[in-house]
Amino acid sequence: MSLENRSSYPFSKNHVVDQSAGKKPEPPRVRTRVRIPLKISDGKLAPSEIITFDGLDDGREHLMVVFGDALTQPVPLVRLHSECLTGDVLGSTRCDCGPQLREAMALMHDKGGLLLYLRQEGRDIGLYNKIDAYALQDTGMDTFEANRALNFLDDQRTYSSAAQMLVTMGLKEIEILSNNPEKIRQLEAGGITVHSQRRTAVHLTDANRKYLQAKVMYAGHSIEID
């Protein structure tokens, strides 16, 4: 496979929305709220509200999906989930993204919660670059080594927009559903108090074992693998 002609993902970790010189940016605001029934893993319909925003600092089209009365709970359960077309939509077993998404939706349907669906495909290197990384993993690299070989950081995602979304909705304190300590660090840097962490289940397959092991080794994820 030739990689000479690959294009850089249009939004990098250092992407900044253009602002007029000397003009203080307006704070983010709610753009649209709409109720949509979602089918969750057991086939049930889960009532939800989807909220979009204008003015987030990275300028992307992130979504907040509200289940139950989460917006009025004192410490709602929150899942930050980065977009993964291969896992979320196509059912790839090379990662644990799809199972984590479905786990979160089922749990939040029962208990209430907020799913922040973040447009950061492939740890923010983009879909085509992620597929290039898959090809390199087939040669023996792990997921982080493949990113470096493509001249990307191990993980280019940022969560400042997620913090902005929560603050815009009047939320300052949460319980997080995640195995990733970096999400907690960045949310707290953005003014969110993370009262507690609830780990996701371990969604282990033959195809993703090395991927999960790399997340533990390089990024300190709280995953127990036999």
Side-chain angles (χ1 to χ4, degrees), residues 167-217:
V167 170
T168 299
M169 301 308 298
L171 301 170
K172 295 291 185 68
E173 303 178 11
I174 68 165
E175 176 185 12
I176 194 167
L177 177 63
S178 178
N179 303 323
N180 184 352
E182 182 62 14
K183 292 179 178 178
I184 297 173
R185 188 191 70 78
Q186 290 198 33
L187 284 178
E188 291 183 334
I192 302 299
T193 298
V194 180
H195 272 276
S196 60
Q197 175 186 7
R198 183 183 302 202
R199 298 180 184 181
T200 71
V202 178
H203 302 285
L204 180 66
T205 70
D206 291 339
N208 73 15
R209 177 180 290 274
K210 189 174 181 181
Y211 167 79
L212 297 182
Q213 290 171 335
K215 290 206 294 184
V216 173
M217 180 182 301

Side-chain angles (χ1 to χ4, degrees), residues 57-224:
D57 65 4
D58 63 6
R60 302 194 196 179
E61 295 182 333
H62 306 303
L63 299 175
M64 176 182 285
V65 186
V66 182
F67 294 90
D69 61 352
L71 289 176
T72 61
Q73 294 177 359
V75 184
L77 181 65
V78 174
R79 167 75 183 166
L80 276 57
H81 188 91
S82 296
E83 177 180 29
C84 177
L85 184 141
T86 50
D88 298 344
V89 179
L90 301 180
S92 169
T93 61
R94 290 184 68 145
C95 64
D96 57 348
C97 303
Q100 284 186 324
L101 176 62
R102 291 184 283 276
E103 174 191 359
M105 292 175 66
L107 178 60
M108 291 178 179
H109 173 52
D110 289 336
K111 306 293 186 182
L114 303 170
L115 171 67
L116 276 57
Y117 197 82
L118 306 174
R119 310 300 299 276
Q120 302 184 132
E121 177 71 58
R123 297 201 302 278
D124 207 24
I125 67 173
L127 180 60
Y128 277 19
N129 288 322
K130 182 175 80 170
I131 300 304
D132 290 344
Y134 277 178
L136 291 175
Q137 290 170 45
D138 287 344
T139 70
M141 294 183 184
D142 65 42
T143 179
F144 295 99
E145 292 168 338
N147 269 33
R148 295 174 206 146
L150 293 171
N151 296 316
F152 292 111
L153 301 175
D154 284 2
D155 190 340
Q156 302 206 154
R157 294 173 294 178
T158 60
Y159 302 103
S160 58
S161 287
Q164 287 181 315
M165 294 161 74
L166 294 169
V167 170
T168 299
M169 301 308 298
L171 301 170
K172 295 291 185 68
E173 303 178 11
I174 68 165
E175 176 185 12
I176 194 167
L177 177 63
S178 178
N179 303 323
N180 184 352
E182 182 62 14
K183 292 179 178 178
I184 297 173
R185 188 191 70 78
Q186 290 198 33
L187 284 178
E188 291 183 334
I192 302 299
T193 298
V194 180
H195 272 276
S196 60
Q197 175 186 7
R198 183 183 302 202
R199 298 180 184 181
T200 71
V202 178
H203 302 285
L204 180 66
T205 70
D206 291 339
N208 73 15
R209 177 180 290 274
K210 189 174 181 181
Y211 167 79
L212 297 182
Q213 290 171 335
K215 290 206 294 184
V216 173
M217 180 182 301
Y218 293 109
H221 286 223
S222 303
I223 306 172
E224 296 182 3

